[in-house]
Amino acid sequence: MLRLEDLTLFVRAAALNSFSDTAREAGLQPAQVSTAIKRLEQTLNTRLFARSTRSLRLTPEGETWLPYAITALQTLEAGFEQIQPATDEVRGVLQIAVPSDLGRNMLLWVFQAFRREHPALHLKILFSDQITDVFKDPVDIAFRYGNNDDASFVALPLAPFNRRVVVAAPSYIARCGEPKTISELAQHDALTYALRGRIYDKWTLSLDGDMHHVAMKSAMVSDDAEVIRRLAIAGEGIAYKSWLDVSEDVNEGRLKIILPQYQGDSVPLNMICPHRKQLSATVRLLHQAVKQRCDVLQSLMPE
């Protein structure tokens, strides 16, 4: 007979590719996880993992069975939520990882309002442009830009239609002129973002289905997205930013969209959770609060 605990450990081990990391996450010893997997394999009469001293990977049978195991756990979790008594109290500690620019200039105000609404809740907010590992880092949820191609964690959509826009301050435009074409844009000073040594100085813009990759010359480079935004507002150059990061600056006239007829890269925003067990009432309510704010800003995004 299948044990629910064994099924859960199988799914987590498949996501983490490690019995040790799975044990650490579950508060168990690695030997206990190994025993649970062996017990599950005996019940199914098939081998689920190919093990060696240096690697762990699913067998073809394990890969076939994994989506059914995930679906079974999700169904049980959904049923469990349906029979839980309703409660309006939100309490405890919620640890959040958020990109620097987005966190400081949009989400911080949402977090403040949410905390005032739920005074028994304590928030620990970690600002960083480094991609948080929600399995290993001490966070409950993370906000992350980009498409979700990783099925090992849960991604709740917040702003699926968010895009990058090219922006500059009125002071920069007055001093250096406003580029009207792609070729003119490439001649201007760019404020470029860097992550892990890679400088993002190739900007992608599309018009009527035609893609243009613009090689920009960096006037200033930073690994902090908030610094790039501040430099743009100060008139130091042209920046290529997520609409959510600069929407208020554009609406209040601190920045102006350059080449508005072009569309920048798609950068949807999601709330990331390691697994469905962490989709608590608190997390769901915070997701709703953030999504409401994102919906307002997306409605103002130029088409």
Side-chain angles (χ1 to χ4, degrees):
M1 185 175 184
L2 290 178
R3 295 190 183 187
L4 180 60
E5 295 83 357
D6 296 351
L7 193 62
T8 301
L9 292 173
F10 163 69
V11 171
R12 298 306 304 140
L16 299 175
N17 292 317
S18 169
F19 285 174
S20 297
D21 290 344
T22 302
R24 189 178 303 112
E25 181 183 89
L28 301 172
Q29 295 297 318
Q32 292 176 283
V33 175
S34 180
T35 298
I37 298 301
K38 288 179 181 178
R39 185 167 51 231
L40 187 59
E41 289 176 329
Q42 290 173 355
T43 302
L44 297 173
N45 194 30
T46 191
R47 196 178 184 192
L48 299 173
F49 287 100
R51 307 165 178 81
S52 73
T53 56
R54 295 186 178 181
S55 67
L56 179 75
R57 60 179 177 80
L58 288 169
T59 62
E61 293 79 10
E63 291 180 352
T64 299
W65 196 57
L66 178 60
Y68 294 97
I70 293 174
T71 300
L73 289 174
Q74 291 175 346
T75 301
L76 290 171
E77 180 67 22
F80 178 76
E81 291 176 1
Q82 292 296 318
I83 63 175
Q84 292 304 294
T87 176
D88 295 327
E89 188 172 29
V90 173
R91 59 171 57 251
V93 178
L94 186 64
Q95 299 183 102
I96 305 169
V98 59
S100 63
D101 200 351
L102 179 76
R104 291 183 175 94
N105 297 297
M106 191 192 90
L107 292 183
L108 183 58
W109 317 119
V110 180
F111 296 157
Q112 286 180 310
F114 191 77
R115 171 68 177 78
R116 286 194 294 267
E117 187 177 352
H118 306 287
L121 178 67
H122 301 276
L123 298 180
K124 182 178 180 181
I125 308 170
L126 307 174
F127 293 97
S128 175
D129 286 326
Q130 300 296 322
I131 297 177
T132 301
D133 188 328
V134 292
F135 298 113
K136 297 180 180 179
D137 295 333
V139 298
D140 299 307
I141 59 173
F143 292 86
R144 187 179 297 175
Y145 280 124
N147 293 304
N148 175 35
D149 297 322
D150 191 341
S152 65
F153 52 70
V154 180
L156 301 179
L158 288 165
F161 305 111
N162 183 51
R163 289 186 173 275
R164 297 192 194 280
V165 291
V166 181
V167 292
S171 61
Y172 176 86
I173 295 172
R175 187 175 74 252
C176 302
E178 179 178 350
K180 299 296 185 180
T181 65
I182 291 292
S183 59
E184 288 182 8
L185 175 65
Q187 303 307 311
H188 280 259
D189 291 336
L191 304 170
T192 52
Y193 175 66
L195 182 65
R196 297 192 184 95
R198 176 187 173 187
I199 299 176
Y200 289 84
D201 54 0
K202 303 295 189 298
W203 297 355
T204 301
L205 297 169
S206 63
L207 178 64
D208 298 328
D210 294 328
M211 302 288 290
H212 302 269
H213 303 284
V214 189
M216 301 297 297
K217 55 178 183 178
S218 299
M220 300 183 76
V221 180
S222 177
D223 63 353
D224 189 324
E226 165 68 359
V227 169
I228 296 299
R229 171 183 163 274
R230 292 188 183 189
L231 289 171
I233 292 172
E236 295 296 333
I238 296 178
Y240 188 48
K241 296 283 293 177
S242 157
W243 167 251
L244 293 179
D245 290 341
V246 297
S247 56
E248 292 190 5
D249 297 318
V250 172
N251 292 332
E252 295 179 15
R254 292 187 290 269
L255 293 172
K256 179 183 178 181
I257 294 181
I258 304 298
L259 299 173
Q261 68 273 32
Y262 286 86
Q263 284 194 331
D265 287 328
S266 174
V267 279
L269 178 66
N270 297 290
M271 176 191 282
I272 304 298
C273 291
H275 42 71
R276 291 194 172 273
K277 287 196 303 182
Q278 290 183 254
L279 289 180
S280 62
T282 301
V283 171
R284 294 180 187 278
L285 287 172
L286 180 60
H287 174 262
Q288 292 175 8
V290 174
K291 190 174 187 309
Q292 287 176 358
R293 181 58 181 156
C294 288
D295 287 345
V296 171
L297 298 180
Q298 280 201 143
S299 69
L300 301 175
M301 185 171 63
E303 297 181 358

